[in-house]
Amino acid sequence: MDWNANHSAFVIASYAMSVLFLAGLIIYTFTRDARARKRLAQFEKTKT
Amino acid sequence: MQQFANPTRFLSLANGALPYIWAVTLILFAIGLYGALVTAPPDYQQGETVRIMFVHVPAAWLAMLVYTVMALASAVAIIFRHPLADVAAKTAAPIGAVFCFLALATGSLWGKPMWGAWWVWDARLTSMFVLFLLYVGYIAIWQAIEETGRAAMIARIVAIVGFINIPIIKFSVDWWNSLHQPASVFRMGGPTIAISMLWPLLVMGLAYTFLFLALHLISIRSEITTRKLRNLQIARSENR
């Protein structure tokens, strides 16, 4: 990859956007899963 | 297949498989990105801009694949009433929407230097935009309708009817005059793309597929946990 080539900013922007959104999706998925499991664990704790 | 419809058995299988799926995903991304940014040559016409293909095309493939998964799961939910089918369709939608958005956004970033325009109302781009709207609409149905059974029935119909858009996207470049290039990988007569560009593209496609698989399994697990909690809360309130 020649970083000084014509239009390389478009290539960088495409990869940066992909990384940003996929990382965001991964973080959202893990956070939602952790929150759901925590809420279930808390509920089961209060049940006993 | 029937045995995987049991949520407990499904969760146990998913939890066992997830570390391996993540490991394969990371390896595929490492190899794919190396191929895309280091070994693949610049295109003789497009120059370095062609490297956008390695993130744009897999995102577009996955946007269509995920919608196909949703339509199939919705059909299974209607025909076989699998308890996990609606959950699988519902949890796939946000992931597919992100892939679809990325396909549109990276396509726009590719279009500006190559076509001189960020966006054109061309058949391929428009049908892909319709797919994004279908994703948003599908997610909105689950968010807007409180009664789960009713939301599920409407969402199933939207997913199945909306599936008509998938072959339209695929063949739009053949049926109408388009600025978008025709199919160069999945086509009759084999790929027309050079092998030095084809292998990183296929590896990136696999990496995106495994990423979807990992995220989908985790999302299904979250949804099952959320529904279990809701059922327990209802059962407790009824016992009081």
Side-chain angles (χ1 to χ4, degrees):
Chain A
M1 167 83 195
D2 177 6
W3 301 102
N4 297 315
N6 280 342
H7 309 306
S8 60
F10 289 94
V11 181
I12 295 164
S14 297
Y15 280 78
M17 183 180 273
S18 300
V19 168
L20 201 72
F21 275 83
L22 292 181
L25 182 64
I26 292 168
I27 291 166
Y28 165 78
T29 307
F30 272 104
T31 309
R32 188 172 173 267
D33 185 50
R35 199 180 298 148
R37 290 206 279 180
K38 192 179 168 189
R39 283 175 61 198
L40 180 65
Q42 278 174 344
F43 182 84
E44 284 178 335
K45 206 184 281 179
T46 57
K47 194 168 60 176
T48 52
Chain B
M1 280 304 286
Q2 197 70 31
Q3 59 178 324
F4 298 116
N6 179 324
T8 311
R9 190 168 297 152
F10 174 85
L11 283 180
S12 146
L13 273 169
N15 288 338
L18 267 168
Y20 299 102
I21 296 170
W22 277 118
V24 173
T25 306
L26 284 175
I27 292 165
L28 286 169
F29 265 112
I31 298 170
L33 285 172
Y34 180 76
L37 294 172
V38 180
T39 67
D43 184 68
Y44 79 110
Q45 283 183 321
Q46 301 188 34
E48 298 290 351
T49 320
V50 77
R51 296 186 198 281
I52 296 174
M53 171 178 74
F54 302 110
V55 286
H56 168 71
V57 175
W61 283 343
L62 263 291
M64 293 193 285
L65 176 74
V66 174
Y67 200 88
T68 306
V69 168
M70 284 165 56
L72 281 173
S74 300
V76 167
I78 289 174
I79 299 164
F80 300 107
R81 301 204 174 274
H82 273 228
L84 277 178
D86 279 326
V87 174
K90 183 188 174 186
T91 51
I95 308 170
V98 170
F99 283 129
C100 195
F101 173 79
L102 281 176
L104 290 168
T106 54
S108 185
L109 283 164
W110 199 3
K112 181 61 181 167
M114 292 300 107
W115 301 339
W118 295 103
W119 182 266
V120 285
W121 291 103
D122 159 287
R124 170 59 69 85
L125 276 71
T126 306
S127 53
M128 203 66 190
F129 183 63
V130 169
L131 181 66
F132 182 68
L133 294 180
L134 281 166
Y135 273 122
V136 173
Y138 182 91
I139 295 165
I141 289 166
W142 280 105
Q143 296 289 327
I145 302 170
E146 275 189 36
E147 193 194 327
T148 310
R150 197 160 155 258
M153 188 40 92
I154 297 170
R156 286 172 198 159
I157 294 165
V158 168
I160 292 167
V161 172
F163 180 72
I164 191 75
N165 192 40
I166 299 298
I168 292 174
I169 295 172
K170 166 73 182 151
F171 296 109
S172 57
V173 285
D174 304 320
W175 292 342
W176 294 286
N177 286 326
S178 175
L179 266 178
H180 199 282
Q181 70 172 70
S184 50
V185 179
F186 299 115
R187 59 184 287 280
M188 300 285 279
T192 53
I193 187 171
I195 191 75
S196 55
M197 290 179 180
L198 180 63
W199 79 257
L201 182 60
L202 293 176
V203 173
M204 285 297 279
L206 268 177
Y208 272 57
T209 308
F210 271 82
L211 177 64
F212 163 64
L213 192 60
L215 293 176
H216 195 205
L217 288 178
I218 295 171
S219 299
I220 291 174
R221 185 171 71 189
S222 307
E223 185 66 21
I224 290 171
T225 310
T226 306
R227 289 185 181 200
K228 186 180 173 185
L229 175 64
R230 198 184 306 140
N231 290 341
L232 286 171
Q233 284 170 333
I234 292 167
R236 182 187 277 188
S237 64
E238 281 172 354
N239 287 339
R240 279 182 181 161

